[in-house]
């Protein structure tokens, strides 16, 4: 930093006096400020940057210049001691006492969620919006619990804050590892948005090490699927729930995608047979699935259902909450020792219905609407039965004796 006082001839007053300016140069960038003092050109010492002589006027003005010079050095010292970034703009604001606008974390988070809510159905699903609302709620509770405050400057969010929030979610809110990481990632989107907007100097998430752990996916085996298929339910409610669940087992569609189906989603595929063609709401990726006999039977069973006719739906599926509640009742009746949820049907399609029966993983991935084959590979990892069958086939191809190797060990 360098400091210079000079007069501007181009801005001379009507009485001929010249205004005195202070120039502060920081890393090559100049800050020029009028000090609201005027002087005759003949009385100004350009080389010394002050007034000539020892008159009362000279002493007063030169004393004022010393005060401003010291103020500049004190400002620099304060910014260094308080780890403030020093550039022309930040220095000028501090020197002039202009308070930089404080951007608050919760205010920014609420604004993000408000905009997301306005785009629900266009760019975001209602479930995605709800997840960010939950993350916001956890963030507010964390601030009150750990800092006794309602909001905080985004510049105070550092890696220590993130790690403390991570611990709070695991310890106080009893979230498992994967739920914790998902909440932290949602929170991270807000912080990264602040970084990209230039509101913070660096991304505090660069050193965050949280990692989602792979969990074993629950699915029904062939015997359990047949149990559901052959069970005769006298209660219509359970009969309908069973059918909707099996429809997902044989199409791989998630609940919301089944809910959104209409007759217009039934098309004639490349093979001349009927297919379901839709876009997954979660990823907006295309999903085309040939209609299997079980799927066809369920569609035909409900084509005249009042709800389907009145609401232009392919199937009269209940709310996701009710479906999951009734599926637990269904599992008890069928003696299936698994906690059934509707999403397990999608896992069942990926594993038991397709991969186990030799459908190539690329085809399964396309039907599931996955954007990345690695997502589908998670299902392939659990198929020990398929690995066993494949290796039995390989074993039969190598079923011969190798020369010079006897069946009985020489070392017994």
């Amino acid at each position: 930093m360098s400091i210079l006082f000079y007069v501007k001839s181009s801005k001379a007053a009507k009485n001929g006096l010249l205004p005195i300016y202070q120039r502060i140069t920081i890393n090559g960038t100049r800050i020029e400020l009028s000090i609201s003092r005027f002087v005759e050109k003949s009385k100004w010492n350009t080389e010394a940057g002050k007034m000539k002589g020892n008159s009362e006027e000279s002493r007063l003005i030169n004393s004022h210049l010393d005060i401003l010079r010291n103020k500049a050095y004190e400002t620099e010292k304060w910014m260094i001691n308080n780890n403030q970034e020093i550039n022309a703009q930040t220095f000028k604001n501090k020197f002039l006492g202009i308070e930089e606008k404080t951007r608050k974390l919760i205010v920014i988070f609420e604004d993000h969620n408000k905009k997301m809510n306005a785009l629900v159905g266009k760019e975001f699903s209602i479930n995605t919006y709800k997840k960010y609302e939950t993350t916001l709620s956890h963030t507010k509770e964390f601030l009150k619990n750990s800092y006794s405050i309602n909001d905080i400057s985004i510049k105070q969010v550092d890696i220590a804050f993130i790690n403390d929030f991570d611990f709070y979610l695991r310890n106080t809110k009893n979230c498992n590892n994967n739920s914790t990481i998902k909440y932290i990632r949602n929170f991270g989107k807000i912080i990264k948005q602040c970084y990209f907007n230039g509101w913070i100097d660096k991304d505090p998430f660069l050193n965050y090490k949280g990692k989602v752990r792979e969990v074993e996916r629950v699915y029904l085996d062939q015997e359990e699927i047949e149990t559901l298929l052959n069970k005769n339910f006298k209660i219509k409610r359970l009969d309908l729930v069973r059918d909707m669940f099996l429809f997902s087992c044989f199409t791989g569609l998630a609940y919301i995608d089944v809910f959104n189906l209409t007759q217009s989603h039934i098309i004639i595929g490349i093979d001349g047979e009927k297919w379901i063609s839709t876009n997954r709401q979660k990823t907006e990726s295309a999903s085309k699935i040939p209609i299997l006999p079980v799927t066809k039977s369920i569609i035909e069973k409900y084509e005249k259902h009042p709800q389907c006719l009145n609401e232009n739906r392919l199937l009269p599926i209940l709310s996701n909450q009710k479906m999951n509640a009734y599926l637990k009742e269904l599992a008890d009746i069928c003696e299936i020792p698994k906690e059934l949820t509707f999403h397990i049907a999608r896992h069942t399609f990926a594993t038991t219905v397709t991969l186990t029966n030799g459908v190539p993983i690329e085809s399964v991935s396309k039907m599931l609407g996955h954007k990345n084959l690695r997502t589908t590979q998670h299902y392939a990892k659990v198929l020990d039965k398929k690995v066993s069958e494949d290796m039995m086939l390989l074993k039969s191809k190598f079923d011969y004796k190798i020369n010079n190797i006897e069946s009985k060990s020489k070392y017994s």
Side-chain angles (χ1 to χ4, degrees):
M1 183 180 74
S2 63
I3 302 168
L4 171 69
F5 292 98
Y6 66 100
V7 293
K8 269 193 177 182
S9 300
S10 61
K11 293 196 175 184
K14 290 181 180 181
N15 58 9
L17 297 178
L18 304 180
I20 303 174
Y21 274 75
Q22 180 181 19
R23 177 187 293 160
I24 304 170
T25 305
I26 297 177
N27 297 328
T29 303
R30 293 177 176 181
I31 304 168
E32 294 188 340
L33 304 167
S34 170
I35 70 167
S36 300
R37 300 289 191 276
F38 294 82
V39 65
E40 293 177 26
K41 186 174 183 179
S42 61
K43 293 182 180 181
W44 183 256
N45 186 330
T46 302
E47 291 184 2
K50 64 179 183 177
M51 279 193 73
K52 301 174 183 176
N54 293 312
S55 66
E56 181 68 16
E57 180 190 20
S58 295
R59 287 198 300 272
L60 287 173
I61 287 183
N62 288 339
S63 175
H64 186 62
L65 299 182
D66 288 338
I67 291 172
L68 292 176
R69 181 181 287 105
N70 289 333
K71 181 182 177 182
Y73 287 127
E74 286 298 319
T75 299
E76 180 188 39
K77 180 181 178 181
W78 184 91
M79 293 184 77
I80 292 172
N81 289 339
N82 287 276
N83 298 315
Q84 299 289 307
E85 180 186 6
I86 301 178
N87 57 47
Q89 189 60 52
T90 58
F91 184 91
K92 182 179 180 180
N93 289 344
K94 186 64 185 175
F95 184 77
L96 297 177
I98 300 172
E99 288 295 326
E100 186 179 356
K101 182 180 179 181
T102 302
R103 300 186 186 275
K104 297 286 191 176
L105 172 63
I106 299 302
V107 172
I108 294 169
F109 209 145
E110 288 176 338
D111 181 63
H112 167 273
N113 286 10
K114 182 180 178 181
K115 291 176 180 176
M116 177 177 275
N117 188 29
L119 294 174
V120 167
K122 299 176 182 177
E123 294 186 20
F124 303 101
S125 70
I126 186 65
N127 288 334
T128 300
Y129 165 70
K130 287 179 178 178
K131 288 173 185 176
Y132 274 89
E133 279 289 278
T134 303
T135 305
L136 172 60
S137 177
H138 287 331
T139 306
K140 289 179 177 179
E141 292 174 13
F142 169 64
L143 288 175
K144 288 182 180 178
N145 183 284
S146 302
Y147 299 92
S148 300
I149 57 176
N150 294 322
D151 209 344
I152 190 173
S153 167
I154 57 168
K155 292 194 173 182
Q156 292 178 267
V157 177
D158 53 17
I159 186 62
F161 182 97
I162 296 167
N163 286 331
D164 286 345
F165 188 26
D166 180 294
F167 179 77
Y168 169 82
L169 291 170
R170 296 173 190 273
N171 184 57
T172 305
K173 303 301 292 185
N174 293 318
C175 296
N176 61 33
N177 176 77
N178 289 1
S179 294
T180 296
I181 300 304
K182 288 175 183 177
Y183 287 132
I184 293 291
R185 284 179 177 175
N186 290 344
F187 176 77
K189 180 189 173 184
I190 307 303
I191 301 304
K192 289 179 185 295
Q193 186 181 78
C194 294
Y195 174 67
F196 293 137
N197 285 339
W199 299 339
I200 52 177
D201 301 324
K202 60 182 180 180
D203 180 6
F205 272 86
L206 290 175
N207 295 316
Y208 179 67
K209 302 299 182 183
K211 187 177 181 181
V212 172
R213 294 178 191 144
E214 190 172 325
V215 295
E216 185 176 343
R217 299 174 188 268
V218 178
Y219 60 94
L220 300 189
D221 58 29
Q222 186 65 39
E223 184 178 342
E224 290 165 335
I225 292 175
E226 290 175 2
T227 298
L228 281 178
L229 280 167
N230 297 324
K231 189 71 175 179
N232 188 12
F233 293 100
K234 295 181 180 179
I235 303 174
K236 289 185 177 181
R237 164 178 56 86
L238 294 180
D239 187 55
L240 184 144
V241 169
R242 182 269 310 273
D243 292 343
M244 298 304 105
F245 183 77
L246 285 173
F247 180 87
S248 182
C249 285
F250 286 91
T251 61
L253 292 173
Y255 169 82
I256 190 62
D257 299 316
V258 176
F259 180 84
N260 289 332
L261 287 179
T262 66
Q263 282 290 344
S264 63
H265 291 108
I266 305 294
I267 65 167
I268 301 300
I270 194 171
D271 55 3
E273 299 292 329
K274 288 184 177 181
W275 290 38
I276 293 174
S277 177
T278 184
N279 287 330
R280 288 202 65 206
Q281 180 168 306
K282 182 178 179 180
T283 60
E284 297 183 352
S285 54
S287 182
K288 294 183 178 180
I289 312 113
I291 294 178
L292 297 173
V294 173
T295 313
K296 181 183 177 184
S297 298
I298 293 172
I299 293 173
E300 291 175 348
K301 180 177 178 179
Y302 293 97
E303 62 183 356
K304 300 298 183 182
H305 191 282
Q307 188 177 344
C308 297
L309 296 174
N310 296 333
E311 299 178 12
N312 187 32
R313 296 192 183 281
L314 186 66
L315 295 170
I317 191 167
L318 305 176
S319 71
N320 197 21
Q321 185 178 10
K322 286 184 178 179
M323 287 294 299
N324 287 331
Y326 296 150
L327 279 170
K328 291 174 176 56
E329 187 178 345
L330 207 71
D332 289 339
I333 294 172
C334 294
E335 297 181 348
I336 296 174
K338 294 170 183 174
E339 188 173 343
L340 291 189
T341 64
F342 196 85
H343 205 66
I344 287 176
R346 183 168 165 83
H347 299 329
T348 301
F349 174 80
T351 52
T352 308
V353 174
T354 55
L355 290 173
T356 301
N357 288 302
V359 178
I361 194 169
E362 293 82 5
S363 298
V364 176
S365 184
K366 190 172 180 64
M367 287 188 286
L368 289 172
H370 287 163
K371 290 184 175 181
N372 193 319
L373 190 63
R374 289 196 312 182
T375 307
T376 319
Q377 286 171 340
H378 290 307
Y379 295 105
K381 290 178 183 178
V382 300
L383 296 176
D384 290 340
K385 181 185 175 187
K386 184 68 169 60
V387 171
S388 174
E389 291 173 353
D390 290 343
M391 290 306 291
M392 286 296 289
L393 182 63
L394 183 66
K395 190 184 295 184
S396 66
K397 293 181 180 180
F398 289 91
D399 188 20
Y400 54 82
K401 293 182 180 179
I402 301 177
N403 292 335
N404 300 322
I405 295 181
E406 298 178 1
S407 60
K408 187 175 181 181
S409 173
K410 296 180 179 180
Y411 306 103
S412 58

